[in-house]
């Protein structure tokens, strides 16, 4: 059941998908998934924070906001040699892509040269590069592309009509503008959101519909399940029904058939059965490692054991030179503020 890539999904159509009987929705999503991807392969990724904490924004979910007492300390941008050492370590572990995040509201011009040097150094190792640095101007996106950046992450977080309940320091249009700059520069996009923040089903549908009606579907769509961190305004929010999370994965797969749909934040709170349902519904990418951003993540051995039980193998990545490599494997993850387990 091959699905045509559409960019004209309506909110009504998207809500109707959410409201299908659970078995019917999963069957449809799995058929779409199998038509576009290896149904038994999962991409593995991680994210190195190159600048942690001290973000001035008020994202209600984020432990790195300077406005909240969460125990995350502000740090300066990592030195180039330290980042390169981490990238070399990741490459030796089989990584083909190295993702870097910074807790900034936006990339400042004074930091572009430093970040470009880091990107270029990682690229020189023969790896794909990915970054999440907050808002970008068109010129900044072009400079990063010229330095060797391949992917840029910038999440929409939630639906347009719920966004103001979560964030007041950045407009929704600011996020859309950055994505436009990234696409115009020729960078690949990683863009998704967070569910379980108190939004309605219609608003979850609104997030996915917005992603699916972008001029180009994001190459990677991270779906984060809210991790409640003490000290943030969303601590204590009612937990999202696990079946509703699976429905979100399934609808994302149907709306964006060719994209990688990533299980991101919140996986440590998912049992094996829930993760298996997500993989069946169309998730084919995860973050790997003992720490995911500032929150826990299933450890490597637990993931390997689950993959073995399910008959899942790691997705190989074809590099520009035609060679194949292992999936992305990084370490020392800390959450960039306003960026949720993406990359």
């Amino acid at each position: 059941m091959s699905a045509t890539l559409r960019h004209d999904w309506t909110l009504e159509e998207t809500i109707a998908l959410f409201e299908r009987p659970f078995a019917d929705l999963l069957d449809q999503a799995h058929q779409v998934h199998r038509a576009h991807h290896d149904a038994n392969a999962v991409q593995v990724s991680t994210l190195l924070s190159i600048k942690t904490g001290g973000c001035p924004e008020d994202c209600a979910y984020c432990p790195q906001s300077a406005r909240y007492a969460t125990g995350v300390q502000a740090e300066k941008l990592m030195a180039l040699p330290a980042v390169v050492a981490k990238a070399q370590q990741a490459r030796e572990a089989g990584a083909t892509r190295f993702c870097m995040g910074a807790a900034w509201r936006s990339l400042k011009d004074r930091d572009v040269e430093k970040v470009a040097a880091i990107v270029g150094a990682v690229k020189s190792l023969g790896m794909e590069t990915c970054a999440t640095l907050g808002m970008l101007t068109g010129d900044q996106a072009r400079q990063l592309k010229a330095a060797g950046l391949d992917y840029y992450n910038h999440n929409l977080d939630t639906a347009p009509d719920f966004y103001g309940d979560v964030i007041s320091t950045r407009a929704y249009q600011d996020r859309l503008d950055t994505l436009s700059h990234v696409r115009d520069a020729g960078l690949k996009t990683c863009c998704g959101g967070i569910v379980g923040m108190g939004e309605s089903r219609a608003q979850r549908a609104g997030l996915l519909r917005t992603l699916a009606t972008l001029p180009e579907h994001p190459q990677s769509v991270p779906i984060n399940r809210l991790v409640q961190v003490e000290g943030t305004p969303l601590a204590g929010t009612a937990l999202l029904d696990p079946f509703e999370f699976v429905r979100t994965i399934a609808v994302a797969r149907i709306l964006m058939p060719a994209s990688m749909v990533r299980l991101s934040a919140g996986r440590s709170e998912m049992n094996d059965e829930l993760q298996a349902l997500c993989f069946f519904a169309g998730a084919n990418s995860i973050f790997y490692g003992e720490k995911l951003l500032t929150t826990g993540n299933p450890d490597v051995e637990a993931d390997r054991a689950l993959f073995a039980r399910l008959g899942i193998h790691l997705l190989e990545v074809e590099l520009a030179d035609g060679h194949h490599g292992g999936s992305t494997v990084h370490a020392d993850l800390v959450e960039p503020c306003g960026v949720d387990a993406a990359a």
Side-chain angles (χ1 to χ4, degrees):
M1 177 182 172
S2 181
T4 303
L5 296 186
R6 289 180 52 188
H7 299 266
D8 61 350
W9 290 95
T10 66
L11 181 59
E12 291 72 23
E13 287 177 304
T14 308
I15 293 173
L17 286 172
F18 267 94
E19 293 179 347
R20 294 200 68 191
F22 188 72
D24 293 348
L25 174 61
L26 261 63
D27 179 63
Q28 180 181 351
H30 185 73
Q31 289 187 55
V32 171
H33 181 54
R34 187 172 287 275
H36 289 83
H37 304 273
D38 181 342
N40 296 305
V42 170
Q43 178 197 45
V44 174
S45 304
T46 30
L47 173 67
L48 171 70
S49 178
I50 60 174
K51 194 280 174 190
T52 303
C55 182
E57 298 215 64
D58 67 354
C59 307
Y61 54 80
C62 185
Q64 290 202 80
S65 172
R67 299 164 184 255
Y68 313 134
T70 61
V72 176
Q73 301 300 313
E75 298 176 1
K76 295 181 179 180
L77 181 68
M78 286 178 64
L80 190 152
V83 177
V84 171
K86 290 293 185 183
Q88 289 174 327
Q89 180 184 359
R91 185 183 64 176
E92 290 166 4
T96 58
R97 185 186 305 167
F98 193 71
C99 308
M100 298 159 281
W104 285 323
R105 168 179 164 75
S106 59
L107 177 60
K108 294 182 172 59
D109 287 338
R110 66 173 186 245
D111 293 313
V112 172
E113 187 175 342
K114 295 176 185 177
V115 174
I118 291 172
V119 168
V122 174
K123 187 72 171 180
S124 70
L125 298 176
M127 307 178 77
E128 286 187 321
T129 55
C130 177
T132 176
L133 312 165
M135 292 182 286
L136 293 183
T137 66
D139 186 58
Q140 290 171 342
R142 288 188 290 272
Q143 290 181 69
L144 293 174
K145 171 68 173 178
L149 190 64
D150 297 303
Y151 289 81
Y152 197 77
N153 164 250
H154 200 66
N155 285 341
L156 293 180
D157 283 354
T158 190
D161 62 339
F162 188 65
Y163 184 83
D165 290 26
V166 180
I167 302 163
S168 70
T169 51
R170 185 193 309 187
Y172 208 77
Q173 189 60 47
D174 292 331
R175 295 182 181 270
L176 295 173
D177 289 346
T178 288
L179 290 172
S180 179
H181 296 325
V182 167
R183 288 192 302 269
D184 290 345
L187 292 163
K188 297 176 182 178
T189 59
C190 174
C191 184
I194 313 168
V195 295
M197 296 193 292
E199 76 285 344
S200 66
R201 173 180 280 184
Q203 287 164 333
R204 283 187 285 280
L207 166 65
L208 296 183
R209 187 255 176 184
T210 303
L211 292 167
T213 54
L214 290 170
E216 180 182 12
H217 291 169
Q219 281 78 19
S220 178
V221 180
I223 304 296
N224 299 277
R225 191 183 185 199
L226 176 68
V227 176
Q228 299 186 27
V229 178
E230 198 66 36
T232 62
L234 288 179
T237 302
L239 297 178
L240 183 68
D241 180 352
F243 292 136
E244 188 70 13
F245 185 80
V246 179
R247 286 181 182 274
T248 305
I249 296 292
V251 175
R253 171 51 67 217
I254 293 168
L255 266 57
M256 294 166 281
S259 301
M260 304 298 291
V261 175
R262 178 173 295 156
L263 286 184
S264 294
R267 203 162 61 85
S268 64
E269 299 170 0
M270 302 179 195
N271 61 28
D272 289 352
E273 293 79 6
L274 177 55
Q275 292 185 67
L277 278 174
C278 289
F279 293 136
F280 184 84
N284 59 347
S285 179
I286 65 165
F287 277 109
Y288 202 32
E290 296 179 359
K291 288 171 63 181
L292 178 59
L293 310 184
T294 51
T295 59
N297 199 41
D299 63 37
V300 171
E301 290 306 318
D303 285 331
R304 289 174 177 168
L306 176 59
F307 286 177
R309 291 168 65 198
L310 298 178
I312 286 175
H313 59 272
L314 300 186
L315 181 69
E316 287 194 336
V317 178
E318 185 169 349
L319 303 178
D321 60 6
H323 292 90
H324 288 77
S327 297
T328 314
V329 182
H330 320 168
D332 294 313
L333 306 179
V334 185
E335 181 174 8
C337 187
V339 184
D340 331 289

